Every structure is written in C-alpha cells, then in structure tokens.
Amino acid sequence: MKYKAVIFDLDGVICSTDEYHYLAWKSLADRLDIPFDREEYSHLLGVSRLESLELILKKSSRTFTEAEKATLAEEKNAQYRRLLDQMSPADLSEEVRDTLNRLRRAGLKLAIGSSSQNTPFILERIGLSHFFDAVADGNCITHSKPDPEVFLKAAEMIRLQPGECLVVEDARAGVTAAIRGGFDCAVMGDAREDERATWHLNTFSELLGCFSELITT
Ligand code: B16
Ligand code: MG
C-alpha cells in the first residue's frame, strides 16, 4: 500500500465549521456595507484569517489601516468563537467518527493539516483533542494554503514522506497546497470536481475505498 497516513483538512472535512466562518464574515461585511455572499465565501476556504479579510476589504470603497484590519480580524474571530462555543462531540458525525476509527484500526497514521488557528479549540469541542497522531495548524506555520507548509509540517511530525501520505481536502487552495507539496489528494465538498485530485469522494466514508487493500467495507 502506497499510503501510510492520511492528513485531513479540518473545516469542511472533519466538521462543518465552514458555515460558522461564513456567518461571522457575513456579519462583519454587512456592518461595513461590503457585498458578500456564499459564492464569494467559497474563495476563502482554506485561506488564512488575515488574507480572507484582505479579500473582503478589496470590495470596500474605503481603505483600512493595519491596526483597523487587526481589530476587524479580531471582531470576526470573536463572533466565530461564539458560534464554535455551541459545538459538542455531537457535531462529529457518526460517519466521520466510524471512518476515522476504521482507518486507525487499519494501521494508518492520522493527522490534521488546517490553516485555522482555532484548530485546538475545535478539536476540543468535538472530542478529538487526543485522537490524531499529529496536528499541524495555523499556529505553527508562516504561509497558509495554497502554500504546502502545513501539510509538509504534518508529514514531518509523523516522520513520513509526502508520497506516503494522502491529503483530504474540500478547498481548491488546499488541493493546490497538497499538489505543490508532492502529496496525492482526495477531494470532497466544494473541491469534489477538482481534476487535479487522485480521488473524488461523494461522501467522507468513500475514503475507505482508497484503502481497499487494507480495509474491507
Ligand atoms: P481561523 P481549513 C481554514 O481552515 C478555513 O477553511 C478558512 O475559511 C479560514 O479562514 C482559515 O482556516 C483560518 O481560520 O480564522 O480559525 O484561524 O479548511 O484549512 O481547516
Ligand atoms: Mg477546509
């Protein structure tokens, strides 16, 4: 078997926090009178908080100082954290839980590769704080997706080469990051039709099909 590990994106793959990101950005954009909808939000998937803010502010008629941008990013994050506060282990679907357990039982290493600085908080809310073999996130990188840094860091943490790890992503920026880093990629959700991917998943549990040599479904 080529793969010895799976590196998962978090928002939009393990859990549906992308809806909370959208609501928090939408409320900020509305307050600033900046047009923002779900289609525009789809371009922010996998992109860091400050880069996302820059993209939103481009549509404003006024300019913002660096200090104002920092305050706006903090405002969005506070709103997002209030939404995350409502999450519990019940927000981890049975499908994701069962698939992760099967992959683990098959002997694969499992890691997270997320742009989010809220990764430890989200994993704690959904009861997965101690589950993964490694967590690379927005707190330990200098370049966010589409840069491959976060996936390379995850592979390094589990002491494997990129060619031995499969990345699971839901965002084009994440697929670009995986490919630039030398990883195969399985895509779902927003990125499921991305032709650059090796595997196309309609559901999370279809990931088991990438490991048919190891797992009988
Ligand atoms: P935070 P992922 C990404 O997470 C989100 O997709 C993206 O929308 C967000 O801006 C980014 O994390 C930063 O998140 O504000 O929590 O640091 O998809 O890479 O898991
Ligand atoms: Mg994502």
Side-chain angles (χ1 to χ4, degrees):
M1 165 45 74
K2 178 179 176 181
Y3 308 124
K4 296 184 176 144
V6 189
I7 303 174
F8 298 92
D9 170 55
L10 181 63
D11 293 328
V13 168
I14 297 292
C15 54
S16 302
T17 38
D18 40 345
E19 178 65 14
Y20 296 152
H21 275 297
Y22 169 71
L23 292 172
W25 283 128
K26 176 73 180 150
S27 116
L28 182 75
D30 285 352
R31 189 174 75 63
L32 298 172
D33 266 332
I34 299 173
F36 184 72
D37 58 19
R38 284 175 197 278
E39 206 285 315
E40 280 162 73
Y41 171 66
S42 71
H43 300 291
L44 309 185
L45 292 171
V47 177
S48 76
R49 193 182 311 161
L50 276 177
E51 287 167 303
S52 299
L53 178 67
E54 294 282 2
L55 291 170
I56 291 170
L57 296 184
K58 265 190 191 165
K59 297 236 164 131
S60 172
S61 48
R62 57 164 290 209
T63 54
F64 297 83
T65 65
E66 291 308 309
E68 284 173 323
K69 285 179 197 167
T71 305
L72 292 174
E74 195 36 58
E75 178 185 330
K76 181 267 175 178
N77 195 49
Q79 168 78 1
Y80 178 55
R81 293 279 290 218
R82 278 193 289 278
L83 294 166
L84 292 180
D85 261 336
Q86 305 162 13
M87 291 182 85
S88 74
D91 287 287
L92 182 69
S93 73
E94 268 312 308
E95 181 188 6
V96 171
R97 188 188 303 276
D98 179 62
T99 304
L100 289 174
N101 284 332
R102 283 174 182 235
L103 293 168
R104 162 76 32 89
R105 283 201 297 272
L108 291 153
K109 290 231 187 270
L110 306 179
I112 291 287
S114 167
S115 296
S116 176
Q117 292 178 279
N118 289 297
T119 297
F121 184 59
I122 295 167
L123 291 177
E124 191 254 306
R125 296 309 304 164
I126 60 177
L128 289 183
S129 280
H130 304 290
F131 181 80
F132 292 97
D133 298 296
V135 175
D137 64 27
N139 300 296
C140 60
I141 53 170
T142 43
H143 303 288
S144 138
K145 302 168 189 174
D147 190 282
E149 185 179 358
V150 78
F151 293 135
L152 292 171
K153 179 82 70 186
E156 188 188 311
M157 286 166 137
I158 50 178
R159 297 194 173 82
L160 290 172
Q161 296 301 313
E164 298 174 303
C165 308
L166 177 65
V167 165
V168 186
E169 257 296 344
D170 74 318
R172 283 191 71 83
V175 180
T176 305
I179 288 166
R180 281 194 199 158
F183 298 87
D184 279 4
C185 195
V187 286
M188 54 185 284
D190 219 66
R192 76 186 165 281
E193 282 169 18
D194 196 313
E195 337 67 49
R196 299 169 299 165
T198 308
W199 306 88
H200 295 82
L201 313 177
N202 291 308
T203 62
F204 188 85
S205 58
E206 281 186 12
L207 184 57
L208 297 170
C210 309
F211 299 93
S212 50
E213 289 171 39
L214 298 174
I215 304 168
T216 44
T217 47

